[in-house]
Structure formats: structure tokens, C-alpha cells
């Protein structure tokens, strides 16, 4: 069965998402998605040109979602967790379901639960018994170890590694190439800087960086 899908956000992250959906379609015997296009409340002219170059449509601002049939799926494609959450809460009122999208080259292990809106980029690996909340984004080549929980709107940026038994609270961003050692907690809305090595739990709304992260 083919479902219609709309990408929310036509920045770089959104256009990467278009590539993921097209890769999913190419890999399946019957393409699961018909891509209607992008919505964005404030697209730059440059991004609109880039969307056009990808042979995709810009449908207008997010209020256009009200016109779509209720079976249309969305994918929230905004990289920054705070902005993603704000937009997600605003468009929830349209009642459209969020897709779960996993690039064909990513691996999701057994006994893993995915919330709606999960977006997994090429090369990401999730091992076993992992709980992934709503609108979690796992970028290229990240690894998520066994028995982890990632709450709603978490972003793990490219090449980052979350070791086993970690609890990552809602809205956290784990920067590119960062490492979180095993059995640690990162509190809600915190940021782990690019390249950091987290060796102790991080309280909520805290920015840590460096090796070891402070
Ligand atoms: C850690 C981070 C959140 C800090 O942001 P910020 O507060 O705006 O930081 P600034 O750029 O003002 O820099 C403040 C200081 O921290 C240093 N710094 C910034 N990022 C750092 C990092 N990742 N590791 C170590 N030091 C860092 C800067 O060199 C600067 O040092 P100085 O005061 O001695 O000059 C940010 O730099 C970061 O790493 N974000 C993750 C980005 C990411 O993953 N991008 C990929 C998207 S796909």
C-alpha cells in the first residue's frame, strides 16, 4: 500500500529526508510512499531553489496541512530539537499521523520500540531493547547501544555513540561525534557538544562539551 507523505521543513535536514524516503521507495518491491512535497512557514529563496532542483514541490506554509486527507503522513524534518518540538506541537492540531522512516542501510535491532515520527538516517545502528520516543532523529552513522531509552524529540547528530543502558530525556541534542558512556542519564533539553565524551550524568537544561565533558 502506498501512503502520501509531506515533509515539514525544507532546510538541509528536510531535503536529506527526501533522500531517505526516495531510498526507501527504491529498496521496496512497491514504493510505500508518494511524496506530495514540503511545507515550511518561512523557507528561504535559496532553499526553495534547492527543493525545486530536487524535482520536489513546495506546498506552502504549515496551515496547508489542514487541506490534506487524514491518511496523509508527516515527517517533522527540523534538525534542532527545540524548534522541532515547537513546530510539532503546533501542527499536532491537524491530526495527521507521523511516519516512521528508516533508511535501508540503517539497522534497527530486535526488541526495539519506535515512536511515531522516528527518522533514521543512512548507516545508523540501534542494537537491542531500545525505546525511541516520538520524533526522535538518529543521523548518519550514529550507534545506540542496548537497553537505552531516548525520549521524545531527541536528536543524535552524525557519528555520535550512545553506549548501553543510557537514558536520554526529551529534547536532548547529542552533538556530532560525541560519546555518552554507559548507564548515564542526560536530562531534558540538554546539549552535548560535538566531540564531547560524557562520563557523568548531565542535569536537565545543561550544555556540556569537551573530553571529559563538563
Ligand atoms: C557545545 C555547543 C552547543 C556550544 O555552543 P555555543 O555556546 O554557541 O558555543 P560558542 O560557539 O559560543 O563557543 C563557546 C566556547 O566553547 C568552545 N566550544 C564550542 N563548541 C565546542 C565543542 N563542541 N567542544 C569543545 N569546545 C567547544 C568554543 O571554542 C568557545 O571557546 P572559547 O570561549 O574559549 O573561545 C556547540 O558548539 C556544539 O558543539 N553544538 C553541536 C553542534 C552539532 O552537533 N552540529 C552538527 C549538526 S548535524
Amino acid at each position: 500500500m502506498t501512503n502520501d507523505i509531506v515533509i515539514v521543513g525544507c532546510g538541509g535536514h528536510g531535503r536529506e529526508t527526501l533522500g531517505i524516503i526516495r531510498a526507501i521507495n527504491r529498496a521496496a518491491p512497491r514504493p510505500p510512499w508518494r511524496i506530495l512535497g514540503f511545507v515550511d512557514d518561512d523557507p528561504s529563496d535559496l532553499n526553495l531553489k534547492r527543493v525545486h532542483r530536487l524535482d520536489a514541490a513546495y506546498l506552502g506554509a504549515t496551515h496547508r496541512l489542514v487541506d490534506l486527507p487524514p491518511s496523509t503522513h508527516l515527517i517533522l524534518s527540523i534538525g534542532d530539537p527545540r524548534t522541532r518540538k515547537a513546530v510539532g506541537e503546533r501542527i499536532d492540531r491537524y491530526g495527521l499521523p507521523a511516519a516512521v522512516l528508516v533508511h535501508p542501510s540503517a539497522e534497527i535491532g530486535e526488541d526495539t520500540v519506535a515512536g511515531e515520527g522516528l527518522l533514521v538516517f543512512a548507516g545508523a545502528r540501534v542494537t537491542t531493547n531500545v525505546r525511541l520516543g516520538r520524533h526522535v532523529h538518529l543521523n548518519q552513522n550514529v550507534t545506540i547501544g542496548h537497553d537505552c531509552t531516548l525520549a521524545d524529540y531527541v536528536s543524535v547528530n552524525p557519528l555520535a555513540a550512545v553506549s548501553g543502558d543510557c537514558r536520554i530525556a526529551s529534547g536532548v541534542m547529542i552533538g556530532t561525534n560525541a560519546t555518552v558512556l554507559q548507564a548515564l542519564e542526560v536530562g531534558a533539553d540538554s546539549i552535548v557538544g560535538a566531540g564531547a565524551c560524557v562520563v557523568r550524568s548531565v542535569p536537565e537544561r545543561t550544555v556540556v562539551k569537551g573530553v571529559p565533558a563538563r
Side-chain angles (χ1 to χ4, degrees), residues 95-116:
L96 300 176
V100 169
L101 299 176
V102 178
H103 190 281
S105 73
E107 279 180 32
I108 305 290
E110 289 180 317
D111 194 20
T112 289
V113 177
E116 64 167 25

Side-chain angles (χ1 to χ4, degrees), residues 15-30:
R15 285 176 286 109
E16 289 175 344
T17 302
L18 176 70
I20 294 175
I21 303 170
R22 287 178 170 169
I24 292 169
N25 278 348
R26 279 196 301 274
R30 290 187 59 176

Side-chain angles (χ1 to χ4, degrees), residues 45-193:
D45 288 344
L46 183 57
N47 281 340
L48 289 177
K49 279 190 192 131
R50 288 165 168 162
V51 164
H52 185 68
R53 272 211 310 275
L54 291 168
D55 206 17
Y58 170 62
L59 306 174
T62 50
H63 66 76
R64 294 294 311 276
L65 297 171
V66 75
D67 302 327
L68 298 172
S71 59
T72 309
H73 286 62
L74 300 176
I75 187 74
L76 266 181
S77 301
I78 298 162
D80 173 58
R82 236 179 303 178
T83 311
R84 184 158 81 247
K85 186 173 181 187
V87 173
E89 288 177 349
R90 193 152 45 74
I91 66 177
D92 262 353
R93 73 180 113 139
Y94 300 116
L96 300 176
V100 169
L101 299 176
V102 178
H103 190 281
S105 73
E107 279 180 32
I108 305 290
E110 289 180 317
D111 194 20
T112 289
V113 177
E116 64 167 25
L118 174 69
L119 179 59
V120 183
F121 285 66
R125 290 183 169 187
V126 175
T127 64
T128 185
N129 183 30
V130 174
R131 301 286 172 267
L132 300 165
R134 297 173 67 236
H135 306 294
V136 166
H137 288 190
L138 305 179
N139 283 277
Q140 294 96 315
N141 295 315
V142 310
T143 59
I144 310 293
H146 59 89
D147 309 308
C148 283
T149 300
L150 279 61
D152 298 349
Y153 296 103
V154 166
S155 278
V156 186
N157 288 349
L159 290 163
V162 178
S163 311
D165 273 319
C166 286
R167 284 168 307 287
I168 313 296
S170 113
V172 166
M173 182 178 81
I174 299 182
T176 297
N177 210 26
T179 302
V180 181
L181 296 190
Q182 68 280 0
L184 297 178
E185 276 180 49
V186 180
D189 302 316
S190 288
I191 296 176
V192 174

